[in-house]
Amino acid sequence: MATKSSYPHQNPIDALLDYLRSRPNDTFLIDERGVALTYSDLYNTASRLANSLSKFDIGHGDKIAIVMSNSVEAVISLFATWILGASAVLIDPLTISEDLDYQLSDSAPKAVIADKSVIERERAVLSKYRVIGVDISGQGVLSFQELLNSGSPTGLRPIEVRDDDVGLIYYYAGIAGRTMQVWHTYFSLYSGPYAFGEAIGLGPRDSVLVVAQLSHILGLTELMSAFVRGSKAVIARHFDAKDTPELIRRYGITVFAGVPLMFDQILNNKDLSPNALSSLRLALSAAAPLPPTTQLGFYQRFGVPLVQFYGLTEAYVLTVQPIKYKDITGTVGSAIPGAELKIVDPNDPSKELGVGSVGELAAKAPWIMKGYSDPEDTRKAIYNGWLLTGDLMVMDDKGLLYFRGVKKRMIKYKGYPIFPRDLEIILMRHPAVKEAYVTGEQAEDPNIGQLPVAYVVLRDEYKGKVSDKELIDFVNSRVAFYKKLRKVYFVDKLPTK
């Protein structure tokens, strides 16, 4: 099923130039410190940074890695990258050690813009790159603030880009089942968020709270939806169950998106009064199934509709649940404007399945990824123009979708995607490991999701000489906190994959 959309044919810099002409002094962005940027401020600061970066021979088609928590500086860095016609490589600031080294060496950025905490933790990895630090300089690190101050906003016109030029690169290839580059175009950076904003009625009177990280598609979609739809965005460095309601109150937030665990934590905050979130007109949940008890409990306590939406790194957002959801809990919704969805045979995508049949969700939309860095994996993921999501669903006669499982190999922990293959590759580097298979075990708290565990076959000469703790430590010293292995089971034969 599909719904129509009529969005402007633009990219983010086109839109920013339009705002400069129509509403330059309106506030677009505020952070939790109270630092505010008008559209004019955003253009001028991003232009100054772009001007300084251009002196390092960074321009059209180059890559700039941004390894930062949510902040005004992160947003300025994004727009400076796009003014240069370059690709922004968004890397989770929790990424460590070999994981970070792989993503940087694979993308080969001409500059890395990073938070102080990332630079201090990862100096060895970052020593190979031109590093620009926020709140830190010296010892081979350039100062973000000094670059910003030294750049001139005049004499640097935004580089013209084609619709299919790559403007955004993520490292969450969920369909492929391993970490690799996911390419999004300049056009999709506008069209995908615009369609999502249209689906939820986002407009100039809205204020959107962004707490999901920009280094994940949820956070970026929320920020860019606010931008392209002319709404105000308030950006928080991290989610905090106590601070978030205060931010909602202080800034009159009308729309807030997060993962189910965030809403459970807000519900568990007994100090909140029933009108604590009174400015909200809509709350949205994604990245993991939303329990009906959370959905209805949130509405009953705060009077705010909490609805599910569905998306993935390769496709921004594809569905939103109807706001009048009381009789249809459990659905992830129907197609947003501009998206076409169908259910196909998981073993033969040429066969479309009917209403009520479980199959793989296939999607077509103008904002679907351009592809992966690996052409073969791109061919596997896109069939005759349709993205094969790897998610198993059922569609009813109203076009509403119900999640039924996954075809792809992925673990979800607190909404974070974990690719078992990445952990298996690290385990196989240990000299004692002959074979390894990583899967997810359901946590005691269903809202946490799954915990990564490994089944390991040891080489004969290491049997009885290597502990499970040694292998767990070997992996966990190399990956972000959410990817950490929780158990290792020694077996003589791997489970059937």
Side-chain angles (χ1 to χ4, degrees):
M1 290 193 174
T3 54
K4 293 182 179 180
S5 178
S6 56
Y7 37 75
H9 198 83
Q10 289 190 305
N11 64 56
I13 301 305
D14 290 338
L16 183 53
L17 293 173
D18 280 351
Y19 289 133
L20 280 179
R21 289 185 284 268
S22 62
R23 44 189 297 199
N25 298 319
D26 286 359
T27 298
F28 161 58
L29 187 69
I30 304 172
D31 75 3
E32 57 194 1
R33 301 167 295 181
V35 176
L37 292 180
T38 64
Y39 292 105
S40 179
D41 293 333
L42 177 59
Y43 181 77
N44 289 335
T45 52
S47 292
R48 286 200 298 271
L49 182 59
N51 184 279
S52 291
L53 292 172
S54 70
K55 296 172 185 175
F56 300 129
D57 193 31
I58 301 173
H60 183 266
D62 291 324
K63 299 184 183 74
I64 297 174
I66 300 173
V67 196
M68 305 170 72
S69 295
N70 287 358
S71 62
V72 164
E73 291 85 356
V75 177
I76 291 170
S77 300
L78 266 176
F79 278 83
T81 301
W82 296 331
I83 285 172
L84 290 169
S87 301
V89 183
L90 285 178
I91 297 176
D92 190 324
L94 298 174
T95 305
I96 67 170
S97 185
E98 293 179 19
D99 232 357
L100 179 61
D101 192 26
Y102 162 69
Q103 293 183 29
L104 289 175
S105 62
D106 183 65
S107 57
K110 284 200 170 181
V112 179
I113 307 177
D115 287 332
K116 179 180 179 180
S117 59
V118 174
I119 293 170
E120 290 179 338
R121 188 188 70 223
E122 303 294 339
R123 282 191 180 275
V125 172
L126 294 172
S127 64
K128 306 173 220 175
Y129 303 92
R130 177 182 287 112
V131 179
I132 298 154
V134 177
D135 296 328
I136 185 173
S137 60
Q139 294 183 307
V141 177
L142 300 169
S143 166
F144 180 92
Q145 194 60 48
E146 287 179 10
L147 285 180
L148 202 59
N149 294 339
S150 64
S152 169
T154 60
L156 180 67
R157 297 183 61 185
I159 302 297
E160 290 189 15
V161 294
R162 298 182 299 271
D163 285 351
D164 66 346
D165 281 345
V166 176
L168 178 70
I169 296 173
Y170 271 122
Y171 270 91
Y172 296 94
I175 299 169
R178 61 188 176 96
T179 298
M180 74 171 97
Q181 294 179 32
V182 181
W183 294 342
H184 280 289
T185 67
Y186 272 84
F187 177 61
S188 76
L189 274 164
Y190 189 98
S191 60
Y194 189 94
F196 176 55
E198 185 176 12
I200 61 174
L202 207 59
R205 294 184 179 181
D206 283 304
S207 294
V208 177
L209 178 60
V210 182
V211 296
Q213 292 297 303
L214 300 183
S215 53
H216 294 261
I217 200 72
L218 170 57
L220 185 85
T221 301
E222 198 179 7
L223 173 79
M224 294 306 295
S225 293
F227 175 73
V228 301
R229 300 286 297 184
S231 307
K232 183 185 296 181
V234 175
I235 191 166
R237 194 166 184 84
H238 302 289
F239 170 77
D240 184 283
K242 293 182 179 179
D243 293 344
T244 295
E246 171 56 23
L247 288 173
I248 290 171
R249 184 202 63 78
R250 186 189 312 162
Y251 294 109
I253 299 299
T254 59
V255 176
F256 165 51
V259 301
L261 192 60
M262 293 179 183
F263 297 104
D264 279 319
Q265 290 178 357
I266 291 173
L267 271 172
N268 290 334
N269 185 345
K270 304 302 182 185
D271 296 331
L272 293 179
S273 67
N275 63 353
L277 310 179
S278 58
S279 64
L280 281 181
R281 68 171 180 85
L282 184 63
L284 300 117
S285 177
L290 177 64
T293 52
T294 302
Q295 186 173 41
L296 295 176
F298 196 86
Y299 180 76
Q300 289 166 356
R301 182 169 174 192
F302 300 113
V304 178
L306 172 60
V307 304
Q308 286 198 87
F309 66 103
Y310 165 82
L312 60 165
T313 304
E314 291 87 344
Y316 296 96
V317 176
L318 294 171
T319 75
V320 174
Q321 186 182 33
I323 293 175
K324 296 180 180 179
Y325 60 80
K326 292 183 181 180
D327 298 324
I328 51 171
T329 53
T331 176
V332 297
S334 55
I336 68 172
E340 297 178 66
L341 304 176
K342 64 181 180 180
I343 304 296
V344 300
D345 186 325
N347 299 311
D348 184 357
S350 67
K351 295 180 180 177
E352 184 173 355
L353 303 180
V355 168
S357 297
V358 177
E360 183 174 5
L361 180 67
K364 184 184 287 187
W367 54 86
I368 294 295
M369 69 169 182
K370 182 174 183 177
Y372 296 128
S373 50
D374 186 324
E376 182 58 31
D377 277 306
T378 302
R379 284 190 288 271
K380 292 176 182 176
I382 299 177
Y383 176 82
N384 285 346
W386 290 84
L387 181 73
L388 303 175
T389 66
D391 288 317
L392 301 177
M393 297 202 187
V394 170
M395 184 183 291
D396 69 14
D397 56 2
K398 297 176 182 177
L400 294 170
L401 291 159
Y402 297 82
F403 185 76
R404 291 292 183 265
V406 296
K407 176 184 175 184
K408 57 197 174 188
R409 286 190 70 205
M410 181 190 284
I411 299 166
K412 279 293 186 81
Y413 171 76
K414 294 185 177 180
Y416 285 98
I418 304 168
F419 306 127
R421 187 60 188 148
D422 291 347
L423 300 180
E424 290 166 359
I425 289 170
I426 295 174
L427 273 169
M428 291 300 293
R429 292 183 190 144
H430 193 285
V433 177
K434 181 180 180 181
E435 295 180 280
Y437 176 66
V438 174
T439 187
E441 278 190 0
Q442 184 62 48
E444 289 185 12
D445 182 348
N447 294 318
I448 289 177
Q450 296 176 306
L451 303 174
V453 302
Y455 292 86
V456 171
V457 177
L458 293 175
R459 298 183 185 279
D460 290 342
E461 63 270 29
Y462 284 93
K463 289 181 178 178
K465 300 177 182 177
V466 174
S467 69
D468 56 348
K469 184 179 183 302
E470 180 179 338
L471 294 185
I472 289 171
D473 290 345
F474 180 80
V475 172
N476 292 354
S477 65
R478 292 164 167 79
V479 298
F481 85 93
Y482 60 88
K483 294 184 180 180
K484 290 186 175 182
L485 271 181
R486 304 310 172 98
K487 294 178 184 176
V488 167
Y489 299 106
F490 292 120
V491 295
D492 293 326
K493 183 180 180 182
L494 293 184
T496 303
K497 298 183 181 183

